Amino acid sequence: MREVGDLYDPIAEDKRITLWVEAADDATVHGDRDLLFEAVANLVDNAVKFTPAGGRVELALLRREGETVIRVKDTGLGITEIEREAVTKRFFRSDKSRRTEGLGLGLSLVAAIVKLHGFRFTIAAGPGCTAEIACPPVR
């Protein structure tokens, strides 16, 4: 989590966005480190990309109801309820993102990595956007 924060901090700073990172000491995730890094980086990349100057992006690793949760929350435009499922499909680009660089693969990659690990991926209503990866404990 902190490495993703370190990677995106200069980009956020250039856009005048506050990037805040928090990781609970007792929160751990078991899975492929490189794939999970890629998933979290994609979420943070989108958050920074779609948050206007002066906004805030929060990256947190926390414990909730026996699970570890990776949460990326921003103060951007958010994703409409109608588009929430569609944004996880390959090559989908919402009307809001048409003028922004990208191929529409980021969230589909996140969804695939989450599915591979047996985790859950949710995108919640705003203001802004809150994306969470819930990681059940290893049994």
Side-chain angles (χ1 to χ4, degrees):
M1 298 296 287
R2 288 185 178 94
E3 288 178 29
V4 172
D6 290 345
L7 178 66
Y8 280 91
D9 192 49
I11 298 165
E13 189 177 318
D14 285 348
K15 276 192 76 180
R16 295 183 301 129
I17 295 171
T18 301
L19 178 59
W20 178 79
V21 181
E22 176 186 25
D25 291 335
D26 64 339
T28 59
V29 175
H30 297 278
D32 184 285
R33 183 188 189 288
D34 294 334
L35 290 176
L36 291 170
F37 183 93
E38 183 71 26
V40 175
N42 270 291
L43 292 175
V44 173
D45 185 72
N46 277 352
V48 170
K49 191 183 303 180
F50 294 108
T51 297
R56 180 177 174 93
V57 173
E58 299 175 5
L59 173 57
L61 180 68
L62 50 108
R63 297 281 300 156
R64 185 175 65 208
E65 298 174 10
E67 295 182 317
T68 299
V69 177
I70 299 166
R71 181 176 61 211
V72 178
K73 183 176 180 178
D74 66 55
T75 58
L77 297 173
I79 299 171
T80 66
E81 187 173 346
I82 294 168
E83 293 181 327
R84 279 193 209 121
E85 188 172 324
V87 295
T88 62
K89 306 295 184 220
R90 286 184 305 199
F91 307 114
F92 178 82
R93 304 270 304 182
S94 76
D95 288 337
K96 289 184 270 185
S97 67
R98 297 255 184 239
R99 286 176 258 139
T100 306
E101 283 188 39
L103 299 172
L105 294 173
L107 292 177
S108 66
L109 181 62
V110 172
I113 291 168
V114 168
K115 183 178 179 181
L116 176 71
H117 284 83
F119 299 161
R120 289 185 324 279
F121 179 47
T122 56
I123 300 171
C129 182
T130 301
E132 292 187 342
I133 300 171
C135 314
V138 176
R139 298 188 194 268

